[in-house]
Amino acid sequence: MANLDQVFHSLSDGTRRAVIAQLANGPASIGDLAQRHHMALPSFMKHIRVLEESEIVTSRKRGRVRMCELRPSALTAAQDWLEQERRKWETRLDQLDVFIETLAAKEMTNEKK
Amino acid sequence: MANLDQVFHSLSDGTRRAVIAQLANGPASIGDLAQRHHMALPSFMKHIRVLEESEIVTSRKRGRVRMCELRPSALTAAQDWLEQERRKWETRLDQLDVFIETLAAKEMTNEKK
């Protein structure tokens, strides 16, 4: 089960989002990813660690290269949470619409009397 | 335009997510929200400020009470970002499936030769 605190924290940084966007196109080595972001390896590794701790990214050694891969289930958990709140919000707005329509209809009836 | 760094940072805390979940059901006063979270008002106000800075929540004085309301557009921006990456990821997996099927088909043809 993904920890939403960690997942959303991971997503709160532009470099980490760019890494996710890149890995969505396929696995990549840490060296390639760091180069793309013009960042020194130690600083970049901190971002990778945050992504790994939130279980958004997994990495493994392949020969002398460490490859990173996306694990979409953590992102799905974040998406599901947002979707659930959006539905609640929209249901509420729909109910509000119905309420306002009912009020308007009542007013029309009262005016006709 | 929502700042995704701020929006995702807002979402990275359980108390703030609970406030969002509560406001998805309708506006509430800061007093009511703080009480629900058994939190001292100054600590709670910090969370509200983070939510306001990310434009997820807006608040206004109504008489002597400050009311909070959800502004769903910032959450939609977060959802859209996640959806976009999910689609890229799924497209890639679909292409991988096609590639593997093509490989398997080729192998079958070679075996028959």
Side-chain angles (χ1 to χ4, degrees), chain A residues 79 82, chain B residues 73 75-86:
Chain A
Q79 223 183 343
L82 286 165
Chain B
S73 62
L75 295 179
T76 307
Q79 223 183 344
D80 288 349
W81 189 87
L82 287 164
E83 178 60 19
Q84 168 192 312
E85 296 314 319
R86 195 183 60 81

Side-chain angles (χ1 to χ4, degrees), chain B residues 35-98:
Chain B
Q35 206 171 23
R36 170 90 67 110
H37 295 283
H38 311 291
M39 209 178 263
L41 205 58
S43 317
F44 189 71
M45 283 308 293
K46 282 185 197 161
H47 287 302
I48 296 293
R49 265 194 293 276
V50 173
L51 286 164
E52 285 190 311
E53 278 161 16
S54 64
E55 301 183 7
I56 294 177
V57 164
T58 180
S59 77
R60 61 161 181 267
K61 275 245 170 196
R62 205 180 283 170
R64 287 164 64 188
V65 173
R66 182 164 285 276
M67 294 296 290
C68 292
E69 202 167 339
L70 209 59
R71 288 180 59 181
S73 62
L75 295 179
T76 307
Q79 223 183 344
D80 288 349
W81 189 87
L82 287 164
E83 178 60 19
Q84 168 192 312
E85 296 314 319
R86 195 183 60 81
R87 279 208 196 135
K88 264 166 62 182
W89 170 263
E90 283 181 356
T91 306
R92 189 189 144 252
L93 287 194
D94 288 346
Q95 287 167 344
L96 215 60
D97 277 350
V98 171

Side-chain angles (χ1 to χ4, degrees), chain A residues 5 17 21 79 83 88, chain B residues 5 17 21 79 83 88 92:
Chain A
D5 280 19
R17 285 198 305 281
Q79 223 183 343
E83 178 61 18
K88 265 167 59 181
Chain B
D5 280 19
R17 284 199 305 280
Q79 223 183 344
E83 178 60 19
K88 264 166 62 182
R92 189 189 144 252

